[in-house]
Amino acid sequence: MAAKLRKGDKVVVLSGRDKGKEGEIVSVDPKAGKAVVDGVNIAIRHTRQSQASQGGRIPKALPIDLSNLAVLDGNGKATRVGFRMDGDKKVRFAKTTGDVI
């Protein structure tokens, strides 16, 4: 099945602790159905100091379920994603505006 959310998409969180926050998808794990969004679902991880890094309390973005994310359209509003044929190519488009994403 084609991916509705991809790396680089601007998304908004629909539910949970970070509801309403916006960010860009950094990575997607389709097998687990999760994505890492920049600035969303931040947790503090304690790391030991090493020669390469300082250590201490490091904020880290954790994966969030794909069902809790929606793509932002050209107007900056949450929208669903559809697929259509554009010539001989399959493209994603925003359901609210009809624009190609």
Side-chain angles (χ1 to χ4, degrees):
M1 189 164 168
K4 294 191 176 192
L5 298 174
R6 296 181 183 162
K7 180 179 175 181
D9 285 349
K10 301 280 186 196
V11 294
V12 63
V13 179
L14 299 176
S15 65
R17 179 183 66 194
D18 294 325
K19 181 177 180 177
K21 285 189 180 179
E22 298 177 2
E24 186 174 326
I25 295 180
V26 177
S27 66
V28 178
D29 183 8
K31 192 170 184 179
K34 294 183 179 276
V36 176
V37 181
D38 192 33
V40 175
N41 200 21
I42 301 293
I44 300 295
R45 293 288 176 241
H46 295 76
T47 59
R48 186 181 296 265
Q49 183 176 356
S50 67
Q51 285 184 331
S53 65
Q54 175 61 32
R57 299 178 57 184
I58 310 289
K60 180 180 180 184
L62 298 179
I64 188 168
D65 203 81
L66 291 176
S67 64
N68 294 334
L69 301 174
V71 176
L72 292 175
D73 62 3
N75 301 331
K77 296 193 175 199
T79 184
R80 291 178 293 164
V81 176
F83 294 95
R84 67 174 173 224
M85 296 302 290
D86 194 16
D88 60 341
K89 199 172 181 183
K90 188 176 181 180
V91 295
R92 298 182 308 153
F93 72 97
K95 292 269 190 161
T96 54
T97 60
D99 297 336
V100 175
I101 300 174

